Structures are given as C-alpha cells and as structure tokens.
Amino acid sequence: MKALRAIWRMLRLLGHLLKGLWVVTLQFPRLTPEQQYIRVQAWSQQMLACVGISLRVQGQPPVGGPVMLVANHISWLDIPVMHAARHCCFISKSDVQGWPLIGTLATAAGTLYIERSSRRDAMRMVRTMQEALERHEVLAVFPEGTTGDGRTMLPFHANLLQAAVVANAPVQPVGLRFVDLASGTTSFAPSYIGDETLLGSIWRTLSAPAIEAVVTYGEPETPQGRDRRAWALHLQAVVDGLRQQG
C-alpha cells in the first residue's frame, strides 16, 4: 500500500515538474514579475497536493516588501512550502542553479545564488540582497545554512542580516513544521539531514501518510540597536518558538 501510494505520488510529482518547466520556458517571458510570482505560488500549492501535503498558515504573511523572512530549515520541501504560503525570493547555495530541472524552476522563481565558501561572494550577495530590498522585494533565507533534524535548531549565521541592516528593512521570523495528521505529532518523514540522500528523503515523504505543513509567521522587527550577531541570536530564539506552535 505504501509503495503504491508513493509511486502514484511520484508520477504526479514528475508530471507537475514537467508542467512547471513548460510554463517557465514558454509563458514566463510574456508575464510581468507580479504575474510570475502568482504562478509560482499556485504551482507550489499544487506541488504540495501532488505529494500528499496540506498547508496551514498561522500569523500574518507580509503583504509586500521590503522584508527579509528568516526560517528554520528542515527539508527539501521548505522552499515550495514557503512559496505556497507567500511568494518570496530565496537565497540558495550556488550548486542548486546547476541541478537538472530543479535549477531551472528555482531560477524562474526568483532565486538568488551564493557561493557559501567564498567570503567575497558573500559580500556580493549582501549587496545584491540590499538592492532587492530597496526594490521592495520579499526575500527569504535559512540562516542555519543547512537542514537540521527538526528536533533542535542549528546556530543562525548573521552575515546575510547585514543586507536588512543596510537597507533599513524589517526581518520577519518564520517557523516551519511538518505534522502527521493522523497522530497530530511532528512528522520527520520530509527531513533531509546528514548522510541521507535526497532520493531517500523524497521516497520517504511520498510513502508517508497525510502530512500538514505548518508555516507560522512572527512579527516583523528591526535591529533596535543590536549588532547583527546579537540580532541573529534573538531571531533564532523567536523562530525556535514559532516552529513549535500548531
């Protein structure tokens, strides 16, 4: 039964990915950025349905920018989950850009890429993010830098917060959680950590019973005199509380 469920979901997911590639290749060039963002949000909502995941949004998503969303990072599903709740431009590691199909879709969704091992590239990205915030964009980052186990959080890196400081833009904390609808407890099926393979995580998610993705938005805030490291520590604590709600 689990295998049949996973195969059916996999077929739906593959079809949806190919549909997304067709849309961004043939339709996106004729659309305004706002129309593209609407398509990305709708596509993300449909993708979650394909893999058996419903969405619950708590709190108030940003109506518009400039704002930087900071969230905990659990799974390969985090980006489509956040897009489904409210379209945003993600900051992602540079190798994602070269992934077959996924890289094309991510770029079309407005993703900005950073070479994490390069200090110079991090400085370039801060400038790029600052310019995006000054254009009133909604940006999103995972300050942990990698996925955690869903039980505890990794320390927040503070460097990308500099863009919000320089652009005088608020930062809005966001908590992500996956819930097993049958038991009401946290689901770790979508987790993607350590030595796990992406395909293994995808298969486990597709095989799982119904899951609900919970996106909890906190209140936007400014540094209030804190340096970026102190602000990062505070934001980590706020996100830690948000992710346990619902």
Side-chain angles (χ1 to χ4, degrees), residues 3-41:
L4 289 176
R5 177 167 58 208
I7 291 170
W8 170 240
R9 289 175 175 173
M10 177 66 80
L11 292 174
R12 293 180 66 193
L13 177 60
L14 289 174
H16 193 60
L17 290 172
L18 292 174
K19 176 185 176 183
L21 184 62
W22 180 82
V23 169
V24 301
T25 302
L26 299 181
Q27 295 186 4
F28 264 37
R30 302 194 300 270
L31 302 178
T32 66
E34 291 75 16
Q35 290 171 328
Q36 292 176 3
Y37 295 163
I38 292 171
R39 295 291 183 92
V40 170
Q41 184 174 11

Side-chain angles (χ1 to χ4, degrees), residues 71-138:
N72 57 308
H73 200 9
I74 309 167
S75 169
W76 55 277
L77 275 170
D78 293 346
I79 290 178
V81 164
M82 289 188 66
H83 272 319
R86 204 284 180 208
H87 177 271
C88 43
C89 297
F90 276 91
I91 314 303
S92 182
K93 57 185 181 180
S94 57
D95 52 341
V96 171
Q97 189 173 14
W99 289 0
L101 184 58
I102 299 299
T104 301
L105 294 174
T107 300
T111 301
L112 304 174
Y113 298 100
I114 181 173
E115 178 57 59
R116 294 190 183 276
S117 61
S118 169
R119 181 177 179 84
R120 178 178 296 179
D121 199 57
M123 295 173 63
R124 176 196 63 81
M125 180 52 65
V126 167
R127 289 194 299 271
T128 300
M129 292 171 64
Q130 175 191 343
E131 292 166 358
L133 290 169
E134 290 171 348
R135 294 193 303 269
H136 288 217
E137 297 279 1
V138 178

Side-chain angles (χ1 to χ4, degrees), residues 228-243:
R228 65 186 187 188
R229 290 178 178 81
W231 197 15
L233 285 172
H234 168 74
L235 288 166
Q236 180 184 354
V238 174
V239 171
D240 195 17
L242 292 172
R243 73 186 181 93

